[in-house]
Amino acid sequence: MLVFKMRIIFYTGKGGTGKSVISCATGVKAAEQGKKVLVISTDPAHTLSDIFEKRVFDKPTEIIPNLWALQVDPIREVREKYGVIQDYVASIFQSRGLDEALAYEIASLPNMTPFISLLKIYDLVNEGFDALILDTVPSGEALKNLYLPMLLTDISKKFLKTFGFFLGALVKAVSPAVKVPAPSKEVIDADLALIDRLEVVRDLLTNVKITSLRLIANPDFFSIENLRRTYMVANLYNVNVDLAIINKVIPEEVSDPFFSEWKEKQAEYLVEAEKAFYPLPVRKVPLFKSELKGINLLKKLADYVFQDDDPLKVFYEGKPLRVDISEDGLQATLIVKTPFAKKEALEVERFGDELMVKVDTNIGEVRNFIPLPAVLYSMKLEKAKLIGDELHITFVKR
Ligand SMILES: Nc1ncnc2c1ncn2[C@@H]1O[C@H](COP(=O)(O)OP(=O)(O)O)[C@@H](O)[C@H]1O
Ligand SMILES: [Mg+2]
């Protein structure tokens, strides 16, 4: 099947870390290697046009041979594809006495916009590209995008069929005593088509051969911190994370004393990143002398990120973190791959929704912080045991 030959690569990380330029660089390098690729941006306005120095439209626009780009316009996308649903939702608000302008404002489906780049995948997956590369909206939101379709499987489809997807939440919100105009067949059909699309997209995103999520941080506290939870949650949801990129590292040759403290700190954060994203390969990319625009600089950037590798390959495949829950639900084990640990000394302590893990290693004592999956919040930390390079941490119901 055509679909299984293709790759979908998402970049995630805090704003400004380099998602858009690295997406474009990935596209440039893959195109040079003869792959037909499409870079998709959901950033506002003309990010891609600025980076490629060429006007990019909201349909695939050729940049160089084999390299295409598309700038998603979420508002237009919602209007064109899901306008019927929007009209209906607005009509409900109007029936509650809101004026039309306000009704449409509220009905602009805030829960819809985050889906748009995902739904776009559905449209583009059979357009003959070898890869779709997406620079997602900044992290938290991006992850919701990935996961909401997956959550759908847990909700009874019957319920959705009765009330519709978006309508379901709305019907619950509006008091039952209020008469809501019945959705037309057209509206229900649009809603159901949307669910089907989301399911197809979810299947693509949880297929490790097809989809990779890549983490981009800078060597600073917040951007690494921000990705710890992303990494953990992606694991729980079966989205394969295959690479971590630490971008904007001050180059060795910078000797101005002004930057010496920065460089020292960055070296520490690089170690921190290796621990936080273990066992992913971590690629370090220097800070360039200028911002990154134009094909030539993107090529240079791609060489730092990928060296001689195929930028579309799956760099890592596995589940570095998982949760096993006992049948009676009274006990759960968090299993995490831990770098360089020796069996002798091991200390696990809980701080709120994080675990601090201290292990003795060949290079001295290493501490790492692991965000706790939500299922463990209400449980009590009981014991920890090292099995191979995996740390098994047992929790029990309080
Ligand atoms: N390694 C780098 N060296 C110098 N400038 C960079 C580097 N990586 C990214 N930039 C610049 O940083 C800014 C933010 O990058 P961008 O890709 O737009 O981040 P994001 O999409 O994550 O918000 C841009 O001006 C970009 O040119
Ligand atoms: Mg961006």
Side-chain angles (χ1 to χ4, degrees), residues 338-357:
T338 309
F340 344 104
K342 287 196 296 191
K343 226 180 207 93
E344 296 86 70
L346 178 91
E347 205 180 294
V348 178
E349 206 176 324
R350 178 172 178 171
F351 293 96
D353 61 357
E354 280 194 336
L355 282 183
M356 194 272 291
V357 179

Side-chain angles (χ1 to χ4, degrees), residues 9-223:
I9 296 171
F10 279 93
Y11 286 100
T12 190
K14 242 174 67 109
T17 47
K19 297 179 295 296
S20 295
V21 291
I22 290 175
S23 298
C24 293
T26 309
V28 169
K29 184 147 182 135
E32 273 195 324
Q33 296 181 352
K35 299 283 176 24
K36 189 178 172 195
V37 291
L38 177 66
V39 177
I40 303 165
S41 177
T42 50
D43 272 357
H46 357 88
T47 312
L48 293 182
S49 304
D50 290 341
I51 297 173
F52 287 129
E53 297 177 323
K54 185 167 179 168
R55 181 128 185 241
V56 173
F57 299 90
D58 64 353
K59 51 174 102 43
T61 311
E62 190 169 16
I63 306 295
I64 53 171
N66 282 326
L67 175 63
W68 298 70
L70 182 155
Q71 188 83 46
V72 179
D73 175 352
I75 293 174
R76 184 158 158 206
E77 197 76 18
V78 171
R79 195 61 229 151
E80 277 177 9
K81 293 228 182 65
Y82 312 101
V84 251
I85 302 177
Q86 203 180 24
D87 289 343
Y88 171 69
V89 176
S91 78
I92 293 178
F93 286 118
Q94 273 180 278
S95 76
R96 299 277 285 140
L98 290 187
D99 74 50
E100 189 175 342
L102 184 54
Y104 266 89
E105 199 56 42
I106 298 173
S108 68
L109 302 182
N111 45 353
M112 180 79 219
T113 343
F115 285 127
I116 293 305
S117 60
L118 288 184
L119 293 168
K120 209 66 202 168
I121 291 176
Y122 180 96
D123 292 338
L124 295 163
V125 81
N126 283 316
E127 292 292 305
F129 292 103
D130 296 312
L132 305 180
I133 300 163
L134 290 97
D135 76 334
T136 58
V137 285
S139 2
E141 213 47 33
L143 279 172
K144 250 193 236 159
N145 295 357
L146 288 178
Y147 303 142
L148 280 171
M150 293 167 208
L151 297 178
L152 276 180
T153 43
D154 298 329
I155 303 169
S156 142
K157 213 160 174 199
K158 205 161 143 208
F159 174 83
L160 292 169
K161 285 224 156 89
T162 317
F163 295 107
F165 175 45
F166 292 106
L167 314 179
L170 197 70
V171 168
K172 269 197 285 177
V174 177
S175 115
V178 176
K179 256 203 156 162
V180 168
S184 66
K185 183 171 180 319
E186 205 192 355
V187 171
I188 290 176
D189 284 350
D191 214 44
L192 287 177
L194 186 56
I195 296 165
D196 289 342
R197 285 171 156 246
L198 287 171
E199 279 180 349
V200 169
V201 170
R202 182 206 57 223
D203 289 348
L204 291 168
L205 296 188
T206 50
N207 184 325
V208 39
K209 303 286 179 219
I210 297 178
T211 299
S212 295
L213 182 67
R214 293 179 179 169
L215 312 175
I216 303 185
N218 297 147
D220 64 49
F221 179 78
F222 285 115
S223 71

